[in-house]
Amino acid sequence: MIAVENQALVSENAIPKEASDGFTVPESNAFGQSFRDYEASVRLSIVENTYRLNHINQTYDFVKRTREEYAKLNKAEMSIWEAIELLDSFVDESDPDLDEPQIQHLLQSAEAIRKDYPNEDWLHLTALIHDLGKVLFHSKFGSLPQWAVTGDTHPVGCAFDESIVYHKYFKENPDHNNPAYNTKLGIYSEGCGLENVLMSWGHDDYMYMVAKANGTTLPPAALFAIRYHSFYPLHKEGAYQYLMNEEDRENLKWVQTFNKYDLYSKSNVRIDVEKVKPYYESLIKKYFPEKLRW
Ligand SMILES: O[C@H]1[C@H](O)[C@@H](O)[C@H](O)[C@@H](O)[C@H]1O
Ligand SMILES: [Fe+2]
Ligand SMILES: [Fe+2]
């Protein structure tokens, strides 16, 4: 803080923006605003409305029912790249930092992580597919509304933590007044492991199910990152830590690494899809079957 007035004081032991791993956090997003600003984003009304509906409607029962329905994987049969193309005009209404089609976000985050980890091709592919579950919006997948597809995620079946964005809208969620679900642990037990926790329904858990059930050879850390990358209350705010087990704590580090590329790669400078497609097609071939059940 003191160093702000005196540039000369910013020496090698003052690390304001650059984290110890060398990653430089950009000052502002594509709109010239700070990242994840849920009070002043130019996209505020659309973002807030998505979360309002999310918080009112994502009850334990809704999540359980919807998850069971999509676990059937009987909605479509297609390749990873075909699914990517379904996102070529889909804009995420929960995102205060981006209004580009999601195909761009997938490629931007993959290219960003590829630059810093050139030899970890599994990370490139993880980034490429991490938001692919957003195909849930498509008519082939039952045209789910954005509140059941996009946005940060949180556990259901226990109290909604104060750190969840737009927490105030939970007041209208029936679970909020249900004594079975509104205590710190709710239906869970300390250290039960995230695998046993039901998360609000959206693109993360769906893509995790798709990747796993179709026999991907991506490592467990990749599957964990896909499944929990929107769980900001945990990976950013440190809430719900008591639900994790030892394995979750190890995997969490990967989510936090991955998150920097997911969040800070968001930009209105578009990537030439055809130019990078051959590289990503080769990764898809290495880690996935040709056609997947969705
Ligand atoms: O608005 C964004 C977007 O929907 C992302 O895909 C999700 O992972 C983030 O958690 C959320 O903040
Ligand atoms: Fe996401
Ligand atoms: Fe993302």
Side-chain angles (χ1 to χ4, degrees), residues 36 38 43 47 51 90 92-98 102 105 130-131 134 146 149-153 165 203-204 226 228-233 235 258-259 262-263 266:
R36 289 181 61 82
Y38 290 93
R43 310 195 72 224
V47 171
Y51 276 103
F90 177 72
D92 185 321
E93 295 181 352
S94 73
D95 197 333
D97 301 309
L98 191 70
Q102 283 294 303
H105 170 58
H130 78 281
D131 275 340
K134 290 177 188 170
Q146 292 246 355
V149 179
T150 65
D152 292 357
T153 58
V165 295
H203 64 284
D204 300 50
I226 291 166
Y228 299 110
H229 73 270
S230 304
F231 193 3
Y232 276 80
H235 70 67
F258 172 75
N259 178 251
D262 182 10
L263 181 58
K266 290 173 183 173

Side-chain angles (χ1 to χ4, degrees), residues 16-238:
K17 289 282 169 204
E18 193 170 315
S20 52
D21 57 2
F23 185 92
T24 307
V25 174
E27 295 270 329
S28 56
N29 67 14
F31 307 115
Q33 299 185 297
S34 49
F35 282 88
R36 289 181 61 82
D37 186 335
Y38 290 93
E39 276 158 28
S41 166
V42 293
R43 310 195 72 224
L44 190 74
S45 61
I46 198 163
V47 171
E48 184 163 358
N49 194 45
T50 304
Y51 276 103
R52 187 178 65 82
L53 294 170
N54 173 289
H55 292 358
I56 295 172
N57 292 303
Q58 294 256 359
T59 58
Y60 183 83
D61 284 346
F62 166 80
V63 174
K64 205 163 167 355
R65 239 184 309 122
T66 311
R67 190 171 200 273
E68 276 164 16
E69 177 55 35
Y70 283 94
K72 293 178 189 161
L73 299 181
N74 62 359
K75 308 289 176 284
E77 206 172 295
M78 64 175 93
S79 69
I80 292 279
W81 195 266
E82 283 170 321
I84 290 176
E85 285 180 339
L86 290 183
L87 298 181
D88 69 352
S89 57
F90 177 72
V91 176
D92 185 321
E93 295 181 352
S94 73
D95 197 333
D97 301 309
L98 191 70
D99 58 4
E100 293 292 325
Q102 283 294 303
I103 189 170
Q104 281 298 321
H105 170 58
L106 293 179
L107 294 171
Q108 287 173 347
S109 50
E111 287 288 280
I113 207 163
R114 179 183 176 191
K115 218 165 132 220
D116 283 5
Y117 294 85
N119 301 320
E120 310 289 336
D121 69 358
W122 64 276
L123 275 177
H124 315 168
L125 185 58
T126 302
L128 182 76
I129 64 168
H130 78 281
D131 275 340
L132 206 43
K134 290 177 188 170
V135 292
L136 287 170
F137 92 94
H138 197 273
S139 55
K140 279 193 198 337
F141 295 82
S143 311
L144 284 187
Q146 292 246 355
W147 60 261
V149 179
T150 65
D152 292 357
T153 58
H154 57 268
V156 292
C158 61
F160 304 117
D161 191 82
E162 291 273 341
S163 66
I164 301 170
V165 295
Y166 300 117
H167 179 270
K168 62 181 180 190
Y169 293 119
F170 285 121
K171 279 200 226 78
E172 293 172 64
N173 183 314
D175 289 0
H176 184 67
N177 297 315
N178 183 338
Y181 299 145
N182 68 7
T183 60
K184 178 182 166 190
L185 284 172
I187 61 166
Y188 305 112
S189 58
E190 195 110 16
C192 62
L194 294 182
E195 203 188 344
N196 298 306
V197 173
L198 200 59
M199 298 294 293
S200 55
W201 179 253
H203 64 284
D204 300 50
D205 203 18
Y206 180 56
M207 192 57 210
Y208 162 77
M209 290 190 329
V210 169
K212 192 162 163 82
N214 284 284
T216 182
T217 51
L218 280 168
L223 289 174
F224 189 92
I226 291 166
R227 193 175 195 184
Y228 299 110
H229 73 270
S230 304
F231 193 3
Y232 276 80
L234 172 71
H235 70 67
K236 179 163 179 268
E237 308 297 338

